[in-house]
Amino acid sequence: TAADATTDSDSDTDSIYARCNLWLLNTALHHAAGQWPLRLICLWNGAADEGPGGTGQMVRAVQSRGGQVHWIDSRGL
C-alpha cells in the first residue's frame, strides 16, 4: 500500500532526492490501487552505491513491493 512506502528502510529523509523517490513511489502506489502492477522504467548506469535517492534505491524499492523494473542501461548508449 502507499502507507508502506513511507517506511522504506533504504530511505534517508534528509536527502531531497530520497524524498522525491518516496513521493514518486507513493504517488504511483496510490494511483495503482491494486488495479495494475507497479512498473518502473529507468535510464540507469547500474551503479550499486549511489547514496540516498539514487536510481538504485528506487529500483530496490519497486522490486521489494513486487513491481517490475524495465532498465535501459545507459552504459550502452
Side-chain angles (χ1 to χ4, degrees), residues 5-73:
T6 60
T7 60
D8 191 50
S9 61
D10 290 339
S11 68
D12 175 1
T13 57
D14 291 336
S15 165
I16 191 168
Y17 301 107
R19 286 186 299 211
C20 181
N21 274 355
L22 279 176
W23 180 83
L24 290 167
L25 185 56
N26 280 326
T27 300
L29 290 169
H30 172 76
H31 288 289
Q35 296 178 8
W36 42 270
L38 180 62
R39 290 188 182 102
L40 172 68
I41 300 171
C42 62
L43 175 66
W44 182 36
N45 66 1
D49 189 14
E50 302 164 311
T55 305
Q57 178 188 25
M58 182 63 110
V59 166
R60 288 188 304 276
V62 168
Q63 290 173 331
S64 73
R65 287 161 180 81
Q68 299 172 352
V69 175
H70 302 277
W71 171 24
I72 300 167
D73 191 343

